[in-house]
Amino acid sequence: MDDVDVDDREPSGTPVGRRIVLGMLGLGAAGVAVGASLQDRVSETLSPIGAPFQDVLPAAGGFRYYSVVDEVPRRDPRSHRITVGGLVERPRSFGMADLAALPQTRLTRDFQCVTGWRVRDVAWAGVALPDLLDAVGVSPRARAVRFESFDGAYTESLTLEQARRRDVLVATQMQGGPVSHDHGGPTRLLVAPMYGYKSLKWLGGIEVTDRVIPGYWERRGYDVDAWVGRSNGRDDAPT
Ligand SMILES: Nc1nc2c(c(=O)[nH]1)N[C@H]1C(S)=C(S)[C@@H](COP(=O)(O)O)O[C@H]1N2
Ligand SMILES: [Mo]
């Protein structure tokens, strides 16, 4: 049951293989039974998180390019817009110029995938999510934020408290230039304190909701709260 054959591709366009899902169901039961070795099982069973049906090539700078779908439409930054709606006072969309007109936040952080690869000191810039939320006004009933990728498959979510952190960005720049298509441009999410799977690529829509709706990988067994070093079976000593 832990022996998930990740190279067994589903037909093109199907985001996840049945075998992965079955593997995950097995993981749930096994994880409860064995407790401490959950982390090992997570890495054995799920090591290809983010790339089960796409070739993973080591990219410049140590990044891998991950996508759960075979092809993602390219968006021209001149026409690309992200929508912000749900439990907000002024739902609207933002083009790149609208985002550039909001306060800009820069930060440099290590980027870490739950499978273990890490890229040190990645420089990001964009709009801190709390600033974007302030621009639309969050309703008092709001508790969470949901993110949708224009790849048609990937989703993520944060609690409202997490979404108000200043180290969560709608990133428009990476390493001093625009976010490339392969890295999720024109706009991607960056959730700096969490594992890479929270940092949704090809961001197309943001919806403020009354509860957390688990995202793509969480429905397949990963932790919703994905703090680096303190989730997914890891309990690293504080540094
Ligand atoms: N839309 C989308 N976003 C995604 C993923 C994905 O497959 N699709 N993979 C996630 C995972 S598991 C990681 S580690 C990072 C990888 O970012 P990169 O492809 O820019 O290296 O993107 C995250 N965001
Ligand atoms: Mo990842």
Side-chain angles (χ1 to χ4, degrees), residues 29-69:
V32 171
V34 299
S37 69
L38 176 62
Q39 180 185 345
D40 296 339
R41 285 176 179 275
V42 166
S43 40
E44 278 166 25
T45 310
L46 299 175
S47 58
I49 185 170
F53 305 113
Q54 200 186 56
D55 296 333
V56 178
L57 300 173
F63 273 96
R64 278 98 172 134
Y65 296 126
Y66 279 174
S67 176
V68 297
V69 298

Side-chain angles (χ1 to χ4, degrees), residues 56-65 111 113 117-120 183:
V56 178
L57 300 173
F63 273 96
R64 278 98 172 134
Y65 296 126
F111 187 90
C113 177
W117 59 268
R118 179 192 313 190
V119 185
R120 302 242 177 226
H183 281 306

